[in-house]
Amino acid sequence: MSSSPNLRPPRVSDLDEIVDLINRDNTLTGIPVVVERDELWEEWNSSLTSMERDCRVLSVDGRLRGVAWTLFLPSESTVQRCYVEGAVDPDLRRNGHGRTLMDWGVNHARELLQTLATSDQPRSIRVQHRVDDTSRLGLMREYDFSPVRWFDDLERPLVDVPTPVSITGITIEPWPSDDESVRRVKNIAFADHWGSSPTTPEGWEELVRGFGSRLDLSRVAVDTRTNEVVAFLLAKRYPSDDTTLRRTATVDKLGTLPKFRKRGIGSALIIEALHAFAQEDLTHALIDVDSSSPTGAHRLYESLGFELLFSTVTSEIVLS
């Protein structure tokens, strides 16, 4: 007879088993991502998540059958959000384990938003998954999550890369060693982006120097009159996602100050990055885009040869 499911904080000794479970769940749901142990460890010990407080594993008969964790994003100026992430052993779906994990995740997210909120801004619990993941869609409906935003993951083969372009008054330069100015540009550039909140110095350090970051493949655009950064492109590289025929790099963040938009700076940054990726003997570039982006980013990426790989949906519960 099997024992009752047990939820507990993960141990360091669990990490390899958890990574294997997450990757098998990604394969089942069509997410072309292979999580690495160091990557998960970094995420679970960051400014957004505490491994002891915010992560739980589900064990049955002493074996790990599922995992859930939260990422809390406080904000003084936008919606305060807490994301719930998780995975269930693909061999044991439809046994109620997903509900057990979601019960904990939603309740824990609610508690974090109630106790750690730093302002009177609205608060929401969010989840994200592929639009065609019928299992998770059904589970989200049970918890009264409402779909609110759709995102597309796009890819481009690194062939026939456009010729670099020049823009009057702008130079494309390597990532600077002192990048605090880039953080300020990011916060201004993303202020009108749905789901974004200002990045703290600690969060910036995690973003630009954390797992997968490739500052050597990243670029900034500089105003030649003031010598100030006005746009940036942050690149990342995850070799574990490669296959025999695919070696990829990701445009993780791309932002331009509002008054410098509509001048082709974003295109110039992407083209420079594509050439840098190709010189690394990579085969494809990836980028994620908000399908309702106010900057027209989707049209920009398509004009540069990016095509749809898969789509995800973000759903939320708004707290009163």
Side-chain angles (χ1 to χ4, degrees):
M1 179 179 295
S2 63
S3 61
S4 299
N6 174 49
L7 278 176
R8 61 170 175 80
R11 309 182 186 105
V12 174
S13 59
D14 296 326
L15 286 176
D16 288 336
E17 193 172 355
I18 294 170
V19 165
D20 175 70
L21 187 153
I22 293 171
N23 287 332
R24 287 189 289 116
D25 183 79
N26 283 345
T27 298
L28 177 69
T29 56
I31 300 292
V33 170
V34 177
V35 176
E36 294 190 49
R37 176 192 173 103
D38 290 347
E39 179 182 10
L40 187 66
W41 172 260
E42 183 176 289
E43 180 172 323
W44 283 4
N45 294 276
S46 69
S47 60
L48 305 181
T49 302
S50 162
M51 185 168 166
E52 175 69 24
R53 183 192 68 187
D54 303 322
C55 307
R56 291 293 182 271
V57 294
L58 178 70
S59 65
V60 182
D61 296 330
R63 294 189 58 188
L64 296 187
R65 297 302 191 183
V67 60
W69 67 98
T70 59
L71 298 96
F72 175 62
L73 290 82
S75 176
E76 297 291 336
S77 57
T78 61
V79 174
Q80 300 188 91
R81 298 154 289 146
C82 191
Y83 284 83
V84 179
E85 305 272 0
V88 174
D89 188 329
D91 296 331
L92 291 176
R93 280 195 165 195
R94 305 187 184 282
N95 283 333
H97 299 327
R99 291 180 184 84
T100 300
L101 291 162
M102 185 58 69
D103 280 344
W104 175 84
V106 169
N107 289 331
H108 184 64
R110 191 182 302 273
E111 178 184 357
L112 291 176
L113 286 163
Q114 290 172 342
T115 59
L116 300 182
T118 57
S119 73
D120 293 329
Q121 294 293 330
R123 297 166 294 165
S124 71
I125 303 169
R126 291 181 180 168
V127 296
Q128 188 172 25
H129 55 81
R130 278 187 64 135
V131 297
D132 53 1
D133 186 343
T134 56
S135 177
R136 281 184 169 87
L137 282 169
L139 188 61
M140 294 310 103
R141 283 193 291 267
E142 290 184 28
Y143 285 84
D144 293 326
F145 279 91
S146 299
V148 291
R149 205 77 168 193
W150 287 260
F151 295 83
D152 293 333
D153 279 62
L154 311 177
E155 69 169 354
R156 186 199 195 283
L158 294 172
V159 296
D160 300 324
V161 177
T163 302
V165 297
S166 60
I167 301 172
T168 302
I170 298 293
T171 60
I172 306 300
E173 300 181 4
W175 193 269
S177 56
D178 180 3
D179 54 22
E180 172 60 20
S181 62
V182 188
R183 182 180 74 89
R184 291 195 293 268
V185 169
K186 182 270 171 190
N187 285 342
I188 296 172
F190 279 72
D192 59 355
H193 286 43
W194 186 88
S196 180
S197 57
T199 301
T200 64
E202 181 183 11
W204 184 247
E205 188 71 15
E206 295 168 350
L207 175 67
V208 304
R209 292 177 178 80
F211 190 90
S213 183
R214 288 291 301 267
L215 298 185
D216 59 318
L217 301 178
S218 305
R219 298 291 185 268
V220 296
V222 176
D223 183 345
T224 58
R225 297 170 303 169
T226 63
N227 203 35
E228 294 180 344
V229 175
V230 299
F232 73 98
L233 182 152
L234 176 65
K236 296 200 174 183
R237 167 98 173 100
Y238 303 98
S240 60
D241 294 345
D242 292 349
T243 66
T244 303
L245 300 176
R246 297 169 60 89
R247 298 178 301 282
T248 63
T250 299
V251 177
D252 186 76
K253 290 285 185 295
L254 175 69
T256 303
L257 291 177
K259 68 178 181 179
F260 286 88
R261 291 173 184 167
K262 309 298 184 183
R263 293 180 55 182
I265 297 174
S267 294
L269 282 167
I270 292 174
I271 290 171
E272 290 283 351
L274 295 180
H275 280 278
F277 297 170
Q279 290 171 7
E280 285 280 301
D281 197 31
L282 304 178
T283 65
H284 288 77
L286 304 175
I287 195 165
D288 175 69
V289 60
D290 180 347
S291 62
S292 301
S293 170
T295 64
H298 213 299
R299 294 189 301 274
L300 166 63
Y301 303 149
E302 289 179 339
S303 73
L304 292 172
F306 285 87
E307 296 181 348
L308 180 65
L309 184 61
F310 65 92
S311 299
T312 61
V313 59
T314 297
S315 300
E316 72 175 1
I317 298 172
V318 177
L319 302 186
S320 57

